[in-house]
Amino acid sequence: MAYCTVDDLKNFFSTSGVEAFTDQDTRGSNQATQDCIDQATDEINIFVLRRYEITVAETSKMLKRWCIVLTTFFLCESRGCPVPDSIAAEAQRINDRLEKIQSGEFRLPGVMQKAIGSSSPTFSNLTVDRRFGSNQVRVVQQASSNIPSQLGQDFAGGFYGQ
């Protein structure tokens, strides 16, 4: 799975631009280009897959655009050429955003995050058992979440401040 295609890259960087940076490869320009797309996809996945499912992430238009820019960056580097300043600056901005995604400071617009760690909802279904004078509230284990909670539990000494 890749976030962009060779055609996406050619639309962004131009066909002649892509071919100029990949003509040295004896395997053909499409294979060299695909290698850079795979590298950009892997770089994005390092940061994104901790918070997003792969099937959901691949629908993000933002990740597609980022993959195109990072692929262009890697294509320029592949021949030892200096990366144009505009592409280098955009790649740095993308890397900063990817780090913020990984830390949870930034979210992909329109893409649902997967539940991880303490951000997962946990619940306990409660019932009142009137057979007991105190501690009437009971947890119904069969209908409760088995996800361990990071939240503390209040162990009150009794009712009405006892």
Short mmCIF file of all heavy atoms in Angstrom, two decimals, residues 108-148:
data_model
loop_
_atom_site.label_atom_id
_atom_site.label_comp_id
_atom_site.label_asym_id
_atom_site.label_seq_id
_atom_site.Cartn_x
_atom_site.Cartn_y
_atom_site.Cartn_z
N LEU A 108 -5.14 13.98 11.91
CA LEU A 108 -5.47 14.06 10.49
C LEU A 108 -6.93 14.48 10.35
O LEU A 108 -7.80 13.86 10.97
CB LEU A 108 -5.25 12.72 9.80
CG LEU A 108 -3.81 12.25 9.67
CD1 LEU A 108 -3.77 10.83 9.13
CD2 LEU A 108 -3.02 13.19 8.78
N PRO A 109 -7.20 15.48 9.56
CA PRO A 109 -8.59 15.91 9.41
C PRO A 109 -9.43 14.86 8.68
O PRO A 109 -9.00 14.31 7.67
CB PRO A 109 -8.49 17.21 8.59
CG PRO A 109 -7.14 17.19 7.96
CD PRO A 109 -6.27 16.31 8.79
N GLY A 110 -10.59 14.58 9.24
CA GLY A 110 -11.53 13.66 8.60
C GLY A 110 -11.18 12.20 8.71
O GLY A 110 -11.78 11.37 8.05
N VAL A 111 -10.18 11.85 9.53
CA VAL A 111 -9.75 10.46 9.67
C VAL A 111 -9.86 10.07 11.14
O VAL A 111 -9.32 10.75 12.01
CB VAL A 111 -8.31 10.26 9.17
CG1 VAL A 111 -7.88 8.81 9.29
CG2 VAL A 111 -8.17 10.73 7.73
N MET A 112 -10.54 8.96 11.41
CA MET A 112 -10.75 8.51 12.78
C MET A 112 -9.52 7.82 13.32
O MET A 112 -8.94 6.95 12.67
CB MET A 112 -11.94 7.57 12.86
CG MET A 112 -12.22 7.07 14.26
SD MET A 112 -13.57 5.90 14.35
CE MET A 112 -14.94 6.98 14.08
N GLN A 113 -9.12 8.21 14.53
CA GLN A 113 -8.00 7.56 15.19
C GLN A 113 -8.43 6.22 15.76
O GLN A 113 -9.59 6.02 16.10
CB GLN A 113 -7.50 8.42 16.35
CG GLN A 113 -6.68 9.61 15.94
CD GLN A 113 -6.08 10.31 17.15
OE1 GLN A 113 -6.75 10.55 18.12
NE2 GLN A 113 -4.79 10.61 17.06
N LYS A 114 -7.46 5.31 15.88
CA LYS A 114 -7.77 4.06 16.56
C LYS A 114 -7.61 4.26 18.05
O LYS A 114 -6.89 5.15 18.51
CB LYS A 114 -6.89 2.92 16.05
CG LYS A 114 -5.41 3.05 16.32
CD LYS A 114 -4.68 1.86 15.70
CE LYS A 114 -3.19 1.98 15.86
NZ LYS A 114 -2.48 0.86 15.24
N ALA A 115 -8.32 3.46 18.81
CA ALA A 115 -8.27 3.58 20.27
C ALA A 115 -6.98 2.98 20.78
O ALA A 115 -6.65 1.84 20.48
CB ALA A 115 -9.47 2.86 20.89
N ILE A 116 -6.20 3.76 21.54
CA ILE A 116 -4.95 3.27 22.11
C ILE A 116 -4.83 3.72 23.55
O ILE A 116 -5.31 4.79 23.92
CB ILE A 116 -3.71 3.76 21.33
CG1 ILE A 116 -3.67 5.29 21.29
CG2 ILE A 116 -3.66 3.17 19.96
CD1 ILE A 116 -2.39 5.84 20.74
N GLY A 117 -4.21 2.91 24.35
CA GLY A 117 -3.88 3.28 25.72
C GLY A 117 -5.05 3.82 26.52
O GLY A 117 -6.17 3.34 26.45
N SER A 118 -4.79 4.86 27.29
CA SER A 118 -5.78 5.40 28.20
C SER A 118 -6.85 6.23 27.49
O SER A 118 -7.81 6.64 28.11
CB SER A 118 -5.11 6.24 29.28
OG SER A 118 -4.45 7.33 28.69
N SER A 119 -6.68 6.50 26.18
CA SER A 119 -7.71 7.25 25.47
C SER A 119 -8.87 6.34 25.07
O SER A 119 -9.87 6.80 24.54
CB SER A 119 -7.13 7.93 24.23
OG SER A 119 -6.68 6.96 23.32
N SER A 120 -8.73 5.04 25.32
CA SER A 120 -9.80 4.10 25.02
C SER A 120 -10.93 4.26 26.02
O SER A 120 -10.69 4.37 27.21
CB SER A 120 -9.31 2.65 25.10
OG SER A 120 -8.24 2.45 24.24
N PRO A 121 -12.16 4.27 25.54
CA PRO A 121 -13.26 4.37 26.50
C PRO A 121 -13.39 3.08 27.28
O PRO A 121 -13.30 1.99 26.73
CB PRO A 121 -14.48 4.62 25.61
CG PRO A 121 -14.10 4.11 24.27
CD PRO A 121 -12.62 4.23 24.17
N THR A 122 -13.57 3.21 28.55
CA THR A 122 -13.84 2.07 29.40
C THR A 122 -15.15 2.34 30.11
O THR A 122 -15.54 3.49 30.30
CB THR A 122 -12.74 1.84 30.44
OG1 THR A 122 -12.62 3.00 31.25
CG2 THR A 122 -11.41 1.55 29.78
N PHE A 123 -15.83 1.30 30.47
CA PHE A 123 -17.12 1.49 31.12
C PHE A 123 -17.39 0.33 32.07
O PHE A 123 -16.87 -0.75 31.92
CB PHE A 123 -18.25 1.60 30.10
CG PHE A 123 -18.40 0.38 29.23
CD1 PHE A 123 -19.26 -0.65 29.59
CD2 PHE A 123 -17.67 0.24 28.06
CE1 PHE A 123 -19.39 -1.78 28.80
CE2 PHE A 123 -17.80 -0.88 27.26
CZ PHE A 123 -18.66 -1.89 27.63
N SER A 124 -18.22 0.62 33.04
CA SER A 124 -18.71 -0.39 33.96
C SER A 124 -20.21 -0.23 34.06
O SER A 124 -20.69 0.87 34.33
CB SER A 124 -18.07 -0.25 35.34
OG SER A 124 -16.70 -0.54 35.29
N ASN A 125 -20.91 -1.29 33.79
CA ASN A 125 -22.36 -1.26 33.97
C ASN A 125 -22.65 -1.53 35.44
O ASN A 125 -22.15 -2.49 36.02
CB ASN A 125 -23.04 -2.31 33.09
CG ASN A 125 -23.03 -1.89 31.63
OD1 ASN A 125 -23.20 -0.72 31.34
ND2 ASN A 125 -22.83 -2.84 30.74
N LEU A 126 -23.43 -0.67 36.01
CA LEU A 126 -23.72 -0.76 37.43
C LEU A 126 -25.17 -1.15 37.65
O LEU A 126 -26.04 -0.85 36.84
CB LEU A 126 -23.44 0.58 38.11
CG LEU A 126 -22.03 1.14 37.93
CD1 LEU A 126 -21.93 2.52 38.58
CD2 LEU A 126 -20.99 0.21 38.52
N THR A 127 -25.41 -1.79 38.76
CA THR A 127 -26.76 -2.11 39.18
C THR A 127 -26.85 -1.85 40.68
O THR A 127 -25.85 -1.87 41.39
CB THR A 127 -27.12 -3.58 38.86
OG1 THR A 127 -28.49 -3.79 39.16
CG2 THR A 127 -26.26 -4.56 39.62
N VAL A 128 -28.04 -1.57 41.15
CA VAL A 128 -28.26 -1.35 42.57
C VAL A 128 -28.90 -2.61 43.14
O VAL A 128 -29.95 -3.06 42.68
CB VAL A 128 -29.16 -0.13 42.82
CG1 VAL A 128 -29.48 0.02 44.30
CG2 VAL A 128 -28.50 1.13 42.27
N ASP A 129 -28.22 -3.19 44.11
CA ASP A 129 -28.73 -4.40 44.76
C ASP A 129 -29.25 -3.99 46.13
O ASP A 129 -28.48 -3.74 47.06
CB ASP A 129 -27.60 -5.42 44.88
CG ASP A 129 -28.09 -6.79 45.28
OD1 ASP A 129 -29.24 -6.90 45.78
OD2 ASP A 129 -27.34 -7.76 45.09
N ARG A 130 -30.53 -3.89 46.27
CA ARG A 130 -31.16 -3.36 47.49
C ARG A 130 -31.15 -4.38 48.64
O ARG A 130 -31.58 -4.07 49.74
CB ARG A 130 -32.58 -2.92 47.19
CG ARG A 130 -32.61 -1.80 46.17
CD ARG A 130 -33.93 -1.08 46.16
NE ARG A 130 -34.02 -0.12 45.07
CZ ARG A 130 -33.50 1.09 45.07
NH1 ARG A 130 -32.82 1.50 46.12
NH2 ARG A 130 -33.63 1.89 44.04
N ARG A 131 -30.63 -5.57 48.43
CA ARG A 131 -30.54 -6.55 49.51
C ARG A 131 -29.52 -6.18 50.57
O ARG A 131 -29.53 -6.70 51.67
CB ARG A 131 -30.19 -7.93 48.95
CG ARG A 131 -31.25 -8.51 48.02
CD ARG A 131 -30.83 -9.84 47.47
NE ARG A 131 -29.66 -9.64 46.60
CZ ARG A 131 -28.93 -10.62 46.08
NH1 ARG A 131 -29.22 -11.87 46.35
NH2 ARG A 131 -27.91 -10.37 45.31
N PHE A 132 -28.63 -5.28 50.21
CA PHE A 132 -27.56 -4.91 51.13
C PHE A 132 -27.78 -3.48 51.63
O PHE A 132 -28.13 -2.59 50.86
CB PHE A 132 -26.20 -5.02 50.43
CG PHE A 132 -25.92 -6.40 49.93
CD1 PHE A 132 -26.20 -6.75 48.61
CD2 PHE A 132 -25.39 -7.36 50.78
CE1 PHE A 132 -25.94 -8.02 48.15
CE2 PHE A 132 -25.14 -8.64 50.32
CZ PHE A 132 -25.42 -8.98 49.01
N GLY A 133 -27.56 -3.26 52.91
CA GLY A 133 -27.77 -1.95 53.51
C GLY A 133 -26.75 -0.93 53.05
O GLY A 133 -27.05 0.23 52.81
N SER A 134 -25.51 -1.36 52.93
CA SER A 134 -24.46 -0.48 52.41
C SER A 134 -23.85 -1.16 51.20
O SER A 134 -24.04 -2.35 50.97
CB SER A 134 -23.41 -0.21 53.49
OG SER A 134 -22.78 -1.43 53.85
N ASN A 135 -23.11 -0.42 50.44
CA ASN A 135 -22.49 -0.96 49.21
C ASN A 135 -23.52 -1.61 48.30
O ASN A 135 -23.36 -2.76 47.88
CB ASN A 135 -21.36 -1.94 49.55
CG ASN A 135 -20.24 -1.29 50.32
OD1 ASN A 135 -19.98 -0.10 50.16
ND2 ASN A 135 -19.59 -2.06 51.18
N GLN A 136 -24.59 -0.90 48.03
CA GLN A 136 -25.65 -1.44 47.18
C GLN A 136 -25.28 -1.45 45.70
O GLN A 136 -25.83 -2.23 44.93
CB GLN A 136 -26.94 -0.62 47.36
CG GLN A 136 -27.56 -0.76 48.73
CD GLN A 136 -28.82 0.08 48.86
OE1 GLN A 136 -29.09 0.94 48.05
NE2 GLN A 136 -29.59 -0.20 49.90
N VAL A 137 -24.38 -0.57 45.31
CA VAL A 137 -24.01 -0.48 43.90
C VAL A 137 -23.03 -1.59 43.57
O VAL A 137 -22.01 -1.77 44.23
CB VAL A 137 -23.39 0.90 43.59
CG1 VAL A 137 -22.96 0.97 42.14
CG2 VAL A 137 -24.38 2.00 43.91
N ARG A 138 -23.34 -2.36 42.54
CA ARG A 138 -22.52 -3.49 42.11
C ARG A 138 -22.17 -3.34 40.63
O ARG A 138 -22.97 -2.84 39.85
CB ARG A 138 -23.28 -4.82 42.27
CG ARG A 138 -23.78 -5.06 43.66
CD ARG A 138 -22.73 -5.78 44.46
NE ARG A 138 -23.30 -6.16 45.73
CZ ARG A 138 -22.70 -5.92 46.87
NH1 ARG A 138 -21.53 -5.35 46.89
NH2 ARG A 138 -23.24 -6.28 48.00
N VAL A 139 -21.00 -3.80 40.25
CA VAL A 139 -20.59 -3.82 38.85
C VAL A 139 -21.05 -5.13 38.23
O VAL A 139 -20.85 -6.20 38.79
CB VAL A 139 -19.05 -3.70 38.72
CG1 VAL A 139 -18.61 -3.85 37.27
CG2 VAL A 139 -18.57 -2.38 39.29
N VAL A 140 -21.68 -5.04 37.06
CA VAL A 140 -22.10 -6.22 36.33
C VAL A 140 -20.94 -6.58 35.39
O VAL A 140 -20.75 -5.96 34.35
CB VAL A 140 -23.39 -5.95 35.52
CG1 VAL A 140 -23.83 -7.21 34.78
CG2 VAL A 140 -24.50 -5.45 36.44
N GLN A 141 -20.14 -7.58 35.78
CA GLN A 141 -18.93 -7.93 35.05
C GLN A 141 -19.21 -8.36 33.61
O GLN A 141 -18.46 -8.03 32.70
CB GLN A 141 -18.17 -9.04 35.78
CG GLN A 141 -17.62 -8.65 37.12
CD GLN A 141 -16.47 -7.67 37.02
OE1 GLN A 141 -15.82 -7.54 36.00
NE2 GLN A 141 -16.24 -6.95 38.11
N GLN A 142 -20.28 -9.10 33.38
CA GLN A 142 -20.56 -9.65 32.05
C GLN A 142 -20.84 -8.54 31.03
O GLN A 142 -20.65 -8.74 29.84
CB GLN A 142 -21.77 -10.60 32.08
CG GLN A 142 -21.62 -11.78 32.98
CD GLN A 142 -21.99 -11.47 34.43
OE1 GLN A 142 -22.26 -10.33 34.80
NE2 GLN A 142 -21.98 -12.49 35.28
N ALA A 143 -21.31 -7.39 31.46
CA ALA A 143 -21.67 -6.32 30.54
C ALA A 143 -20.73 -5.13 30.65
O ALA A 143 -21.05 -4.05 30.19
CB ALA A 143 -23.11 -5.88 30.81
N SER A 144 -19.56 -5.33 31.23
CA SER A 144 -18.60 -4.25 31.40
C SER A 144 -17.39 -4.48 30.52
O SER A 144 -17.14 -5.58 30.05
CB SER A 144 -18.16 -4.16 32.87
OG SER A 144 -19.26 -3.86 33.69
N SER A 145 -16.63 -3.43 30.32
CA SER A 145 -15.42 -3.51 29.52
C SER A 145 -14.33 -4.21 30.31
O SER A 145 -14.18 -3.99 31.51
CB SER A 145 -14.98 -2.09 29.14
OG SER A 145 -13.71 -2.13 28.54
N ASN A 146 -13.53 -5.02 29.63
CA ASN A 146 -12.41 -5.67 30.31
C ASN A 146 -11.10 -4.90 30.08
O ASN A 146 -10.03 -5.38 30.38
CB ASN A 146 -12.25 -7.11 29.86
CG ASN A 146 -11.95 -7.22 28.38
OD1 ASN A 146 -11.97 -6.23 27.66
ND2 ASN A 146 -11.68 -8.42 27.92
N ILE A 147 -11.21 -3.68 29.56
CA ILE A 147 -10.04 -2.86 29.33
C ILE A 147 -9.60 -2.24 30.65
O ILE A 147 -10.39 -1.59 31.31
CB ILE A 147 -10.34 -1.75 28.30
CG1 ILE A 147 -10.76 -2.36 26.96
CG2 ILE A 147 -9.13 -0.84 28.11
CD1 ILE A 147 -11.28 -1.35 25.98
N PRO A 148 -8.34 -2.45 31.05
CA PRO A 148 -7.91 -1.85 32.32
C PRO A 148 -7.90 -0.33 32.22
O PRO A 148 -7.53 0.22 31.21
CB PRO A 148 -6.50 -2.40 32.52
CG PRO A 148 -6.05 -2.87 31.20
CD PRO A 148 -7.29 -3.20 30.41
#
